[in-house]
Amino acid sequence: MVSVARLALVLAPAALSLAGCAMPDRVAPTMPTTAPVPAPVPAAHQTRILDGTAAAQLMRNAGVTLQWIDWNTRGTAHARDDGGVIRLTASQNSSTGPGRLWLDGTVTEIGADYFIFSGTIRIVDTPDAGRKCEATRTDWRFAVTQSRPYWRLRTFEWCDGLTDYIDIYKPANPR
């Protein structure tokens, strides 16, 4: 068994050499420094996909309509995967006047017959010149009803009492 006194004698030279590093007239050597690594930017919550087929259909959608503008000439809707977050932008412009529909945001959840959109919806100059409706929400619900080939915004009278039918169409080939 080693005694405490004997251990102190063995460790004394190492302790003395280290103690010299702490003397005020000596400068401790510095380690090379590197630029700090920035903290990762928190990503938006990933889209909760409850039905892969519906998600694939939304990614390949066939456009958007607002009944005030035109049922037959669809605007464009672009859905894209951005690191697990489905981003959705859509617009439709009237060919006979200033009317315009615009959507921009993310899909937070998608199920077999619905999706939840978090973002801004804007309707301008339709059905009447001067009308402007714009709202940003996290709970816009689009749903398929009666086996229709589109998801329809289920919040109908969200602006000024007029009923707005905003439809995002499923692709013709559902795959």
Side-chain angles (χ1 to χ4, degrees):
M1 189 173 256
V2 178
S3 70
V4 174
R6 187 165 178 88
L7 186 60
L9 288 174
V10 171
L11 295 177
L16 287 174
S17 67
L18 288 175
C21 292
M23 294 179 60
D25 60 334
R26 290 196 182 180
V27 177
T30 59
M31 298 297 290
T33 60
T34 58
V37 177
V41 176
H45 293 289
Q46 290 191 339
T47 300
R48 184 174 178 212
I49 298 175
L50 303 176
D51 187 284
T53 300
Q57 289 175 338
L58 181 60
M59 297 297 287
R60 296 182 350 268
N61 73 76
V64 63
T65 60
L66 170 64
Q67 92 275 18
W68 307 119
I69 295 176
D70 193 340
W71 289 108
N72 300 314
T73 306
R74 296 178 188 168
T76 58
H78 297 284
R80 64 196 180 286
D81 186 328
D82 184 7
V85 177
I86 296 176
R87 301 205 179 273
L88 178 64
T89 56
S91 66
Q92 183 186 24
N93 297 314
S94 173
S95 61
T96 61
R100 180 176 169 94
L101 165 69
W102 180 81
L103 293 85
D104 186 38
T106 61
V107 175
T108 58
E109 181 175 299
I110 185 161
D113 61 355
Y114 75 95
F115 67 87
I116 307 298
F117 176 72
S118 175
T120 301
I121 297 177
R122 180 183 309 138
I123 298 172
V124 179
D125 292 324
T126 188
D128 302 309
R131 180 181 189 223
K132 182 174 181 187
C133 291
E134 181 173 338
T136 301
R137 293 175 48 166
T138 60
D139 63 345
W140 299 106
R141 183 179 184 87
F142 286 78
V144 174
T145 60
Q146 301 173 355
S147 300
R148 292 183 174 136
Y150 50 78
W151 293 275
R152 176 167 281 170
L153 178 64
R154 303 309 298 167
T155 308
F156 299 112
E157 298 171 359
W158 58 274
C159 178
D160 55 7
L162 290 179
T163 300
D164 297 307
Y165 293 124
I166 300 172
D167 300 329
I168 297 180
Y169 289 80
K170 291 182 174 188
N173 180 359
R175 278 195 257 169

